[in-house]
Amino acid sequence: QVQLMESGGGLVQPGGSLSLTCAASGSFFRIVAMGWYRQAPGNERELVATINAGGGIAYQDSVKGRATISRDNAKNTVLLQMHSLKPEDTAVYYCNTRGYLDYTEVFDAWGQGTQVTVSS
């Protein structure tokens, strides 16, 4: 019912920049929030940044000042822009979208994940 298309992952050098895009498609009534999570080897999945329908934004402390999350509500798309990347940013990044399929049924969708590697 809801499909998430992720793009932008890859290999970047330390200090470099990268943008991740997630687009939601399918049949749904309303999106409440979209964001990005990440999981490094041996670690639990953690929030990177999220933006809700009202424009409220939350960032993980480790990326504050280095990341910007934005949205295009008309296209159901969220963009995460990161700069000054560090090796510890290396992880699989997952798009997350929450909302309503109809007036009563909620959904919590996850993308397949895209690899981000920060290395020389």
Side-chain angles (χ1 to χ4, degrees), residues 7 25 29 35 37 43 59-60 63 65 68 75 78 96 99 118-119:
S7 62
S25 63
F29 172 68
Y37 291 70
N43 293 342
Y59 294 103
Q60 183 189 121
V63 305
T68 301
K75 297 181 179 180
V78 63
N96 174 247
V118 184
S119 176

Side-chain angles (χ1 to χ4, degrees), residues 18-34:
L18 177 142
S19 294
L20 299 177
T21 299
C22 178
S25 63
S27 180
F28 51 84
F29 172 68
R30 178 189 175 197
I31 290 177
V32 174
M34 299 185 73

Side-chain angles (χ1 to χ4, degrees), residues 2-75:
V2 182
Q3 296 82 44
L4 303 181
M5 304 296 293
E6 302 165 321
S7 62
L11 175 65
V12 297
Q13 295 185 0
S17 300
L18 177 142
S19 294
L20 299 177
T21 299
C22 178
S25 63
S27 180
F28 51 84
F29 172 68
R30 178 189 175 197
I31 290 177
V32 174
M34 299 185 73
W36 286 92
Y37 291 70
R38 67 186 181 187
Q39 186 170 17
N43 293 342
E44 298 296 320
R45 189 174 299 185
E46 64 182 7
L47 173 72
V48 180
T50 186
I51 182 168
N52 63 29
I57 295 172
Y59 294 103
Q60 183 189 121
D61 287 343
S62 65
V63 305
K64 287 182 178 178
R66 303 189 298 116
T68 301
I69 191 167
S70 59
R71 65 182 183 178
D72 185 338
N73 289 339
K75 297 181 179 180

Side-chain angles (χ1 to χ4, degrees), residues 79-99:
L79 172 68
L80 178 67
Q81 299 171 292
M82 300 184 67
H83 64 89
S84 302
L85 286 163
K86 305 174 181 179
E88 50 262 46
D89 294 317
T90 297
V92 177
Y93 285 66
Y94 297 89
C95 178
N96 174 247
T97 302
R98 296 181 289 111

